[in-house]
Amino acid sequence: MPQTVLLAEDDRAIRHALERALTLEGYRVTAVADGVEALAQAHKSSPDVLVLDVMMPGMDGLEVCRVLRAEGDRTPILMLTALVETADRIAGLDAGADDYVVKPFDVEEVFARLRALLRRTSPPPAENEPGPA
């Protein structure tokens, strides 16, 4: 069963390009355009990982992250942002994000960071049962 990604990005071109790339990479993607939709979808579908743009209308990615963490949600969160200052990255991590990618980003880096986040949260593979001697 493919791993599920909830992608929240208000820039339509970036959202569609990343959704397509993630789908081609084998993920099942739900893409939304703002934080309010992201929060609703996270509650509804329990994705394996979230990719949140920091600056979105309504509720931004940091607020979505804070709300989910306050609810006890431990789903890995990768933040996307055009904000490049160290203080901005610190704010994202302090809000509960697990990792951060600055725009413009290389999609291969996003894939690698998602794999790393999912490795940390996936159960270890079941050990093979010993066969007959």
Side-chain angles (χ1 to χ4, degrees):
M1 184 169 198
Q3 291 181 302
T4 58
V5 176
L6 173 55
L7 168 63
E9 167 63 64
D10 65 322
D11 182 302
R12 188 172 163 271
I14 294 173
R15 185 175 65 250
H16 287 296
L18 199 48
E19 180 180 16
R20 184 171 185 273
L22 288 165
T23 300
L24 289 171
E25 191 68 9
Y27 294 99
R28 197 171 73 234
V29 182
T30 300
V32 298
D34 65 52
V36 174
E37 286 182 82
L39 193 57
Q41 192 62 43
H43 289 144
K44 180 178 157 190
S45 66
S46 298
D48 294 313
V49 65
L50 287 89
V51 178
L52 301 175
D53 181 23
V54 171
M55 295 186 300
M56 293 185 288
M59 177 183 274
D60 69 19
L62 296 178
E63 189 59 27
V64 172
C65 190
R66 280 189 206 99
V67 169
L68 290 172
R69 294 304 188 235
E71 294 171 350
D73 190 319
R74 304 298 305 146
T75 305
I77 296 174
L78 175 65
M79 303 298 292
L80 298 177
T81 187
L83 303 174
V84 297
E85 296 298 320
T86 301
D88 297 315
R89 291 194 299 274
I90 291 169
L93 295 168
D94 284 348
D98 297 286
D99 203 354
Y100 224 91
V101 176
V102 176
K103 297 175 188 176
F105 53 81
D106 184 313
V107 73
E108 292 298 326
E109 181 182 3
V110 172
F111 293 161
R113 290 177 182 274
L114 288 176
R115 287 191 300 269
L117 289 174
L118 290 165
R119 264 196 312 273
R120 284 185 233 148
T121 58
S122 298
E127 298 206 16
N128 292 336
E129 304 247 329

